[in-house]
């Protein structure tokens, strides 16, 4: 007996748990960027503290730097991208905006990533994604404006 496909409404918490899950990302390992690296990303981009509230997922075959052993995260990807690939504002839009982006580079992985601490090339990262739920467009504009003006704390 075959069961027909059914679409049902689910609790938003369950939806987010499934949708934000890294289970579908390629690579042997999947992990989320730790809070301390998220705060470093904000500082690197010139964002006000706690601007980023979304989970920043990463996947790959080797989660740790082969030289220093540091867990590779969005911090490594962003710090590498700022060296001539993307500008700070574009990265802020990807992280804080309402559009959802998923990068999947299989089998070659994400090119040009280096460990933020020891600068060793990282070749085992496969994908990264961010889902920032309900970040207000006006709030994004305010963050971008503060970034452009070099202000790294929220306006009073």
């Amino acid at each position: 007996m075959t069961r027909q496909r059914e679409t049902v409404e689910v609790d938003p918490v369950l939806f987010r748990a499934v949708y934000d899950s890294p289970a579908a990302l390629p690579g042997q390992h999947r992990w989320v960027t730790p809070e301390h690296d998220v705060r470093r990303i904000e500082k690197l981009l010139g964002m006000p503290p706690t601007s980023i509230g979304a989970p920043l997922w990463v996947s790959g075959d080797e989660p740790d730097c082969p030289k220093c052993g540091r867990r590779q995260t969005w911090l490594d990807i962003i710090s590498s991208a700022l060296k001539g690939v993307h500008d700070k504002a574009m990265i802020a839009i990807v992280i804080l905006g309402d559009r959802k982006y998923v990068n999947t580079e299989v089998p070659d992985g994400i090119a040009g990533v280096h460990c933020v601490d020891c600068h060793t090339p990282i070749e085992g990262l496969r994908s990264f994604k961010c889902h920032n739920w309900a970040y207000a467009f006006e709030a994004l504009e305010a963050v971008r404006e503060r970034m452009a003006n070099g202000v790294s704390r929220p306006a009073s």
Side-chain angles (χ1 to χ4, degrees):
M1 179 174 183
T2 319
R3 189 172 176 183
Q4 281 189 313
R5 180 181 297 182
E6 193 177 349
T7 303
V8 296
E9 184 177 354
V10 296
D11 179 86
V13 173
L14 175 61
F15 178 79
R16 288 179 187 163
V18 172
Y19 193 69
D20 275 349
S21 169
L25 295 175
Q28 295 177 343
H29 305 278
R30 293 147 190 89
W31 61 98
V32 70
T33 299
E35 189 75 15
H36 59 86
D37 275 6
V38 174
R39 301 295 75 93
R40 286 178 71 186
I41 290 168
E42 292 166 342
K43 187 173 183 177
L44 180 65
L45 294 176
M47 291 178 166
T50 68
S51 293
I52 301 172
L56 303 176
W57 296 108
V58 184
S59 72
D61 298 328
E62 299 295 330
D64 301 324
C65 174
K67 183 174 180 186
C68 71
R70 181 183 175 285
R71 177 61 46 112
Q72 301 306 289
T73 70
W74 270 63
L75 177 60
D76 304 282
I77 296 165
I78 289 172
S79 67
S80 299
L82 288 173
K83 294 181 173 94
V85 179
H86 299 300
D87 66 23
K88 292 177 181 184
M90 181 271 192
I91 294 171
I93 290 168
V94 168
I95 295 173
L96 302 178
D98 61 354
R99 296 178 67 187
K100 310 305 178 212
Y101 298 87
V102 177
N103 287 316
T104 306
E105 289 86 5
V106 177
D108 294 333
I110 303 167
V113 178
H114 291 80
C115 177
V116 72
D117 289 344
C118 74
H119 310 291
T120 298
I122 304 300
E123 298 177 7
L125 294 181
R126 298 287 174 228
S127 186
F128 58 103
K129 72 176 185 173
C130 170
H131 296 291
N132 201 345
W133 294 96
Y135 200 97
F137 182 74
E138 294 80 15
L140 171 58
E141 286 302 312
V143 169
R144 289 176 57 198
E145 188 174 314
R146 286 193 298 272
M147 288 172 63
N149 294 328
V151 179
S152 64
R153 58 180 167 64
S156 304

